[in-house]
Amino acid sequence: GGHISVQSSPGAGTTFLIHMPVARPTDSEPASEEEAAPTVSLTGTLLVAEDDDVLRRLVRTMLETGGYDVMTARSGEEALARAEAFAGGIDALVTDVIMPGMRGPELASRLRALRPELRVVFVTGYSDDPLDHDLRPGDMLLTKPFGMEALLGAVGGVLSEPGARRAAQ
């Protein structure tokens, strides 16, 4: 019931548009609560460092819609200053890898010196090796462009790692 459109030009790349029919919700429910997928309510305070104003606002909106408290900064230096001035806990950093001045990996390293348990979601528009971004076990690399589901999945993924702060049940 769907179709694919392809546009291609030599030297300019290829664009695929995939059109799929709207999925209809089903009336079936799990037979019992035990069969339902467990849901863990993760909340927390996030620090977003992104130099692009539009993307920073969009990421903030998506994360707040997902239930997170969000602080934003337009540079690594500003993010570091906000974190140093913030007396509460910061559960995760969502940072662009490439920013003018202090880049995301340096920001993460400096913040982890202050907050060793900090979880990090690195965001990049480049598809190079994630090992170049100083990923630690439990960190994530999210490639632009991304949607709300991918962003919330990445943040939820780093916060669900052992040792991450979970919301009170």
Side-chain angles (χ1 to χ4, degrees), residues 8-168:
S8 182
S9 300
T14 303
T15 301
F16 291 86
L17 295 174
I18 302 172
H19 302 272
M20 301 179 75
V22 174
R24 303 278 184 241
T26 62
D27 291 333
S28 65
E29 301 227 358
S32 68
E33 286 187 31
E34 288 77 30
E35 291 180 37
T39 57
V40 177
S41 176
L42 294 174
T43 61
T45 300
L46 309 177
L47 175 58
V48 174
E50 169 60 57
D51 59 309
D52 181 280
D53 293 338
V54 173
L55 185 54
R56 187 176 58 256
R57 284 191 298 269
L58 178 61
V59 167
R60 178 183 198 138
T61 299
M62 289 192 284
L63 292 171
E64 287 176 342
T65 300
Y68 295 100
D69 294 320
V70 181
M71 298 184 296
T72 61
R74 68 174 31 107
S75 68
E77 293 83 359
E78 184 179 334
L80 189 58
R82 286 185 186 265
E84 288 172 342
F86 186 67
I90 298 175
D91 297 290
L93 168 67
V94 178
T95 181
D96 194 0
V97 172
I98 306 296
M99 294 184 288
M102 187 186 309
R103 294 180 171 208
E106 180 185 353
L107 170 61
S109 178
R110 292 180 66 181
L111 283 175
R112 282 180 165 145
L114 302 170
R115 301 167 184 263
E117 298 301 317
L118 184 71
R119 304 306 173 112
V120 181
V121 175
F122 289 104
V123 178
T124 184
Y126 302 94
S127 60
D128 54 354
D129 187 351
L131 297 176
D132 291 340
H133 301 298
D134 301 323
L135 290 181
R136 289 187 177 182
D139 289 349
M140 296 235 178
L141 180 69
L142 186 60
T143 304
K144 297 174 189 176
F146 53 83
M148 184 169 168
E149 186 174 315
L151 176 62
L152 293 176
V155 171
V158 299
L159 293 180
S160 66
E161 285 292 312
R165 293 192 316 162
R166 291 184 186 270

